Amino acid sequence: EPVQIEAELDRHWDRLHQGLSYYKPPSSSSAAKVKDNKDVAQPLKEFGLRISKLLVRSDYYYEERMCLLRCVLLLLTYFQDERHPYSAEYSNSVTKLEKDLVSCYQAQFESLFKAEAPTWETHGNLMTERQVSRWFLQCLREQSLLLEIIFLYYAYFEMSPSDLLSFTKMFKEQGFGLRQTNRHLVDKSMDALVDRIGSVSLILVEGMDIDFLHKCALEDCTEQHQFSCAADVIKEMDQLLLTFGDIPHHGPVLLAWVLLRHTLRPDETNPVVRRIGNTALQLGVFQYLSTMLKGLGQKCACMASCPFSHPISRSLSSSLSIEHCSHLIDAACEVLSAPSLAEVFWEMKPNMGLGMILDSAVGMFPHQIGPLLQLLTALLSNKSTVKKVYNFLDKMSFYTQVYKHKPNDVISKDDETLWRRQTQKLLYPLGTGQTNLWMPQGVLGQVMIGGEQTYVVRWDYSYSSWTLFTCEVEMLLHVVSTADVLAHCARVKPILDLVHKIISTDWTVSDCLLPLTSRIYMLLQRLTSVINPPVDVIASCVNCLSVLAARMPGKVWSSLHHTGFLPFASNPLTNMAHAEGMKAGNYGNLLVQIEQPRGEYAVTIAFLRLLTTLVKGQLGSTQNKGLIPCVLLVLKEMLPTYHKWRYNTYGVRERIGCLILELIHAILNLSPEGEDQGSTPTLQSLCIYSLANTEAGQAVVNIMGVGVDTIDVVLAAQPSSCGAEGPGQILIQTVKLAFSVTNNVIRLKPPSDAASPLEQALTQHGGHGSNLIAVLAKYIYHKHDPALPRLAIQLLKRLATVAPMSVYACLGSDAAAIRDAFLTRLQSKTEDMRIKVMILEFLTVAVETQPGLIELFLNLEVKDGSEGSKEFLLGEWSCLHVVLDLIDSKQQGKYWCPPLLHRAALAFLLALWQDRRDSAISVLRAKERFWENLTTPLFGTLTPPSDTTEPCVLETCAFVMKIIGLEIYYVVSGSLEQSLKDGLQKFSNARRYEYWSQYVKALVCHVAAMEEEGVCYFAETQMLISAWRMLLILATGHSEVMQLTDDSTKLKLFMDVLDGTQAALTTPTSVPCLRLGSMMATLLLILLKQWRRSAPDILSPLSLILESVLQADQQLMERTKAKVFSALISVLQIQGLNGEEDISQLPQLLLSVCETVKDEALALIDSTRHMSQAGDAAEDEDSMETDSPRGPQKDQRDGVCVLALHLAKELCRTDEDGEHWVLVMRKVPVLPSVLSAMELSLRSKNNLYFTEAALHLLLTLARTPQGAAAVAGAGVIQTICLPLLSVYEVSSNGASQVRDSFSRKAQDSACWPGVYRLCMSLMESLLKTLRYNFVNEALDFVGVHQERILQCLNAVRTVQSLSCLDEADHTVGFLLQLSSFCKEWQFHLPKLLRDVQVNLCYLCQTCTYLLHSKKMLHHYLQVREPPPPLPREEAEQKALLAVQCSLLKILSKTLATLQHFTPDCCQILLDQYRTLFVLSFTTPAFDPDVAPSFGTLLATINVALGTLSEVRRRRRCPVCVCVCVCVCVSSCRSLLMFTMENCFYVLISQAVRCLKDAAILPRDKQRLKQELSSELSTLLSSLSRHFRRGSPSSPAGGLLPSSQSKPATPGSKAAPEGQEPFIQLVQAFVRLVQR
């Protein structure tokens, strides 16, 4: 922000003004102040006093001193640059500094120059030679920077003649930096700094104000120049400069002075000036200038251009040698390469300044082709200059040739000054049909230089240089194998360099250059195959191809592929670990044989740039695979070894490393589409494998391990004017690329159990801080390029996430210091914002993965408090201080707290809550205004989704919502902080629930509307919706705490969620929309289930959503479809409870759901068969799985198939009369497909959830006549009957195992015994509904499963688990329905009927015994059932009651069944019924050898009567054990009445049967009468008392089906005293037996 820059400049203006004087040397007065300060600890005082003596200008702030000077340098560089964003602020600051800046800084420079070096005598024995050397190195660096500042100052402000004189004297006295006071300390490493101090003598050139001098000369007003009236100064300067000439730094000063003197007095012929000029030439001034300009950069090049801009160049160039001319052209090119100067040049007159040099070069063209093209290449700066250069060369009017002898085909004048061609001449000896130049007959040529040795002739001939250039290239192709190749290469290289610069600057000209660019491929092929290839020309060719490849990579690749230059593969690469068949190509041979021995690597640099360009060009998979040999060469042969090669030039090694990493970085950032995954590896997978597993990875690790100290040394050694191309910047860029490459390799590497060599190298521990983790962390100290520490922290973050190591342990003793450095940068308001964000992101990751490190950063201190309780305080170096500042509502919107930083701080807090860092959370909770500051973002008003410019704000709000949600979830509602409760109350009162609900809906609708264009901030949108969803889900369970109790608000939220779901799922097809739709559907489902009372009728929109979902991509919509089905089920259930049965959408819903059920069932059949085949193939494999294998993915409890079946069940239940489902099922073959899938599932014992759901659907249908007929007609008995054997038939001999059959799983959990029970219920329902139409099928079923049925009836005695009792209940229920058809049963299965009757009697006895002997039952339950996680007594009571209720239900159904097997009054006379109970009156026993008797029935009545009394007592009891007991009690009363009624009936029937039986002895009959008379009389009296107390009437018809035809007793219609009919029957029987 400009405001921030201005504020910082104002705050530190005095420091900038004082410069190095701001840092005061230690003194006795300052020492006294330290000693007197009572706030400083004594050890710290002693340390400070001691260290001040040692460090002189403490090296602790060496870098700080340099940064201060660099700030001033930056201000002076850009304060007049209008393109710079802070130029206005810089200009204001420079205006304030301008007054005495130079005098102050000059004094500091002289002080440094004269300063005496510290010694051990003056500063103690700790002042070693190394310390002295560091001090002097810093001294030279500061001198250089001070001079650069003064130089830049005078580039903008005028220097007076007297100041120029004083500066000249100062430089002479100091020998331009060579006469340092401490020159004995100069070593080789300091030579560059001393040389730099000398080169900044350009201050003197700037002081002469050549710019203004040139302007005055053009306007003929030289008297306005400040030196025009300073004769004394000029005279003294003349004498002073005459003494110059012994060092190269003098050259530019002498040349500039000559220019000044000559321009001010052009007519004066002063021998002093001529002498000074000759001295400058003898010093090689032009060579010095060209070298210096290359090192100084464009800024200084512009300033140093002036000496060439004046006609004095003519007088100089006339006396220059050829060597001087070449250096002059080099210097001119460096000047002209400045962007602004090229355009100025074309506007100048050709006979002025540098135009003379260009004119001279044209005069020798094309004999000397290099100088002209060198100048023109420098003049290419933009598209307009490209057009000028192209046209200039396209219309040449002179052709210069050099002849040793006069040719025969010319005639000349007598003085030999003019030649004329007699014949036309072919200028190049090329073949017919090739491009060439013809010089026509009669052309005149002026002889420029004549003599016996040579003739230089300029022919007056017009031609295009571009044609000439084509001929030159053709000539080189012709002579490539001859001795003339080097001479021709020297002519072609400038052409190639010019072409490269032209197409780099303006691509539109490339078509005109096609004759040249198309020949580059052949040139490359020919030149690289010769014995001694011309490396510089090859490099120029490759550079041209790099520029072409940026625009048309495919064409360049296809042409280059056939040249043999690039590495290639003789066999396709199949194994990345071995590179057989890879050939190095001509380039590989050139690298090994030519470049490495010479130490020059122009071709390698060009090759790497070309490869990177081709990779970035997204060639496509086929061509990319053609690049694999090239990349393999780089990874295997170059990257691991390039640092060991020989180098002639400093900085080339770093440049090659940087280019290699740029190539790898480009490959790792390739988009995956277009790379087909075949057997051949892709470029990306090749790079990842090589870096992770080979030496290439170690090379990258070594680059990262350079360390911050080495980088600082390199930066300190380079001049500040190097810009982005200095060795320090290249090294920084290389290390940054290494970070990024490593980060990407770890991110993209395929997951594996074993750590790769790269990961091992990154995380291995080393002693004394030598491990890489510590090196990475110390990059935080780097200040020059903020991206370097940021990328280092990013890699640390990645390693902390994926690597099994402790960062804290790796940091060792440096941990606290590094922590302080991190926090210092995090706290700074002027620090780069991206570094601060990355630090917070690293700490966020560390919360979960690095416990030791995060404790270090949290820095919590234990507060002294009461014993046993721990309270924490924030330490001085806790990162929470910064985080709390960043979330402070008062800081928001300030430049030091942008939204991204606020978001990062909240992400860190969220990590603390997610990882349950209770100590830190407790401190945060206790902070004043914490919850208020935290929740502030939720009270803001966001811009509409269509106008969002700061997507991170969405994440910020999401993090706040998640933190609040986690706090409410973890903390008991009563323990919440009052400030948080107040915040939630405020949130509710401000109607923020409605606001955020509306905003989230708008977000979803915006994503849906923008699906074709895509939403750039989808991740943030998804995060916010997820957080809002979590908050609402929590609100359903904590509505009081979250202040969400108003029904109208709930309805608004619910409808917004519905609208959002509908928007995301009804029309869009993009993946983001479907993902959001799935999230919203989940929320809708949960709200629907939790807010049933507030939920409106949403069947219509849900139906529309379902239709859309069913039409979308099924693979993407699998989960969403399931959620929509669940929501529909919930809605139908709610409507059923509310009595709303009229559903207009029923037909369409039924059709959609039935289609889904059919499709899913068919898909399930296919997958089950496929799985069975796969299982058969692997059945010999041993497996430790003990449970039955899970079905395929489709069979899930909440899968689409299962939920569709449940939804179909609900729809059929709603459509009771079958008005719609009959039509739909006729149209869609649902039942056949479901039954087929169910049969296959039962046979293979797969798809448990599907089978259960299908049986529930069939059960629902079976309850109505139409449905039962449809189910039976579809072949349900064939589907279930035999396949059901697979469910429980597990032993080879056919006998099922009790342990497997009667498992002790929870009664409602999915299991195969549960499927069997459902099948039994289905048979019961079908038989009950269809009656005689289903008898044969029912008998088939009971016949097939008779063994299981009989075993189940017997199992109640041994297994009292609820699942076992449940199966017995279902079995007896089925037998109850089947018992109505005794005759058919007797006819088909007589033996089974007898067995069932016997087993039912035993079952009656067992139930009666267990109900009677509660202690025994309690004991059995304790032994068999593991105690559930409830209070023991409550759990036991609950279990006992549940088992008693089950036993009572079984007993009542058993007696109802036996009622059908015992004769009525009429049937007794026929004597067709066997006796079911033996004639005995003993109490029922638990022994299976004791047969059921009349005593069993009497005991049953007694138990029922006793239980009935107990039920009455419990009902009157004010406190019940639990709600379950109340439910049991209410259902037991009905069961008990029904049980007694049936028991009395069976007892009387069996008694009459015995009394009529002739086989029974008379005395036994008499005994029967006596016992029954006595027992029944007692029972009747008990019953009478019971009914007098208000027992309900018999509920037999309501609860369970009673017999179809019962003997009616006389007078039953009008029972006296309100007695039950069965009581009157018993009384009549008692009177009968008493007679």
Side-chain angles (χ1 to χ4, degrees), residues 175-235:
F176 284 74
L178 294 175
R179 297 175 188 163
Q180 294 280 338
T181 305
N182 302 291
R183 54 184 173 274
H184 61 284
L185 297 173
V186 175
D187 56 28
K188 283 188 177 181
S189 65
M190 300 177 190
D191 286 346
L193 275 171
V194 174
D195 195 52
R196 195 193 312 169
I197 293 169
S199 67
V200 188
S201 60
L202 284 176
I203 292 171
L204 302 179
V205 178
E206 280 297 340
M208 296 175 198
D209 206 353
I210 303 295
D211 271 339
F212 184 54
L213 175 69
H214 179 49
K215 183 181 177 184
C216 293
L218 290 175
E219 298 174 0
D220 202 16
C221 54
T222 53
E223 67 278 357
Q224 294 181 6
H225 195 273
Q226 62 265 33
F227 277 87
S228 62
C229 52
D232 294 341
V233 173
I234 289 176
K235 186 176 180 182

Side-chain angles (χ1 to χ4, degrees), residues 865-914:
S866 58
E867 290 186 13
S869 66
K870 273 193 175 183
E871 288 188 50
F872 294 93
L873 296 173
L874 293 186
E876 181 185 356
W877 288 99
S878 173
C879 61
L880 291 178
H881 289 300
V882 189
V883 174
L884 287 169
D885 284 342
L886 290 174
I887 69 165
D888 190 344
S889 56
K890 296 176 182 176
Q891 304 287 345
Q892 303 314 308
K894 303 287 180 62
Y895 63 79
W896 59 80
C897 186
L900 268 174
L901 197 54
H902 188 208
R903 172 220 165 274
L906 285 167
F908 174 69
L909 290 178
L910 175 60
L912 293 178
W913 256 266
Q914 285 177 330

Side-chain angles (χ1 to χ4, degrees), residues 967-985:
E967 179 73 2
I968 292 170
Y969 181 75
Y970 286 131
V971 179
V972 181
S973 58
S975 305
L976 282 178
E977 294 288 327
Q978 186 58 44
S979 55
L980 177 56
K981 292 181 182 177
D982 295 342
L984 292 170
Q985 183 67 55

Side-chain angles (χ1 to χ4, degrees), residues 664-691:
I664 297 170
H665 188 260
I667 293 171
L668 292 177
N669 282 290
L670 280 175
S671 55
E673 64 262 11
E675 290 208 0
D676 59 332
Q677 299 297 325
S679 57
T680 309
T682 62
L683 279 178
Q684 201 171 79
S685 62
L686 177 69
C687 275
I688 293 167
Y689 176 84
S690 298
L691 291 168

Side-chain angles (χ1 to χ4, degrees), residues 1607-1621:
T1609 54
S1612 62
K1613 288 185 181 178
E1617 300 176 3
Q1619 286 185 348
E1620 292 290 322

